[in-house]
Amino acid sequence: MSPDLRVLAPHGFAARTALGFHPRDGRPVACWVVHPTSGDAGALARLDRFTSALGLGPHTGDRLTEVDDYRASLTAAGGWATLWVGDETELVAEHDDDWLDALLDRGWAMVVVGYATELAGADNAGVMAYLTSGRDASVGVVRAA
């Protein structure tokens, strides 16, 4: 998957799709990587509110937080995926066929919210390195609608 798929970037943060792999079964996992577009304090505060609205948990937890359906869901069609928070569109990103296959196979995507602009271009190894670096991140599972 191309690591540079761009999205609409409201409020100083953006997201992109990425393809990860489940540590237990090795099968593909659709990932939604959210990151700030700058180190601006206002953008980081909005990213905090976004993380709170989703109800994501810490990436160091024993298990992934399952985001309640009333909080968020994912849809995908025509090469574009949409993360819906409540009744509003929050983020839209391009996806490829492999990402869509993983979303449809599992019925969910892992959402990763990090606080580093370099996540905009990180591949799976880069996202995993970020998560294991001890840097701040929140994660959760969002179901496909």
Side-chain angles (χ1 to χ4, degrees):
M1 166 173 268
S2 173
D4 63 348
L5 295 177
R6 299 294 171 211
V7 310
L8 305 177
H11 315 302
F13 59 91
R16 64 182 185 78
T17 59
L19 193 64
F21 297 91
H22 198 286
R24 287 193 204 120
D25 63 23
R27 292 183 10 240
V29 173
C31 297
W32 191 272
V33 181
V34 182
H35 56 85
T37 56
S38 74
D40 174 72
L44 297 178
R46 286 187 292 278
L47 192 55
D48 281 338
R49 289 191 298 275
F50 177 78
T51 300
S52 179
L54 283 172
L56 299 178
H59 72 289
T60 55
D62 292 338
R63 56 181 296 163
L64 291 175
T65 299
E66 291 188 35
V67 177
D68 293 322
D69 291 342
Y70 72 86
R71 287 183 181 261
S73 64
L74 275 163
T75 58
W80 291 93
T82 304
L83 176 64
W84 300 87
V85 178
D87 294 329
E88 297 182 23
T89 303
E90 283 294 332
L91 295 168
V92 177
E94 289 182 281
H95 68 77
D96 64 14
D97 291 341
D98 292 335
W99 187 89
L100 181 60
D101 289 345
L103 178 70
L104 295 175
D105 178 50
R106 294 192 184 270
W108 53 266
M110 185 173 115
V111 176
V112 176
V113 177
Y115 288 82
T117 56
E118 66 262 21
L119 288 171
D123 60 8
N124 183 52
V127 173
M128 292 308 297
Y130 180 87
L131 290 173
T132 58
S133 71
R135 295 176 73 184
D136 195 21
S138 298
V139 296
V141 170
V142 174
R143 299 258 174 230

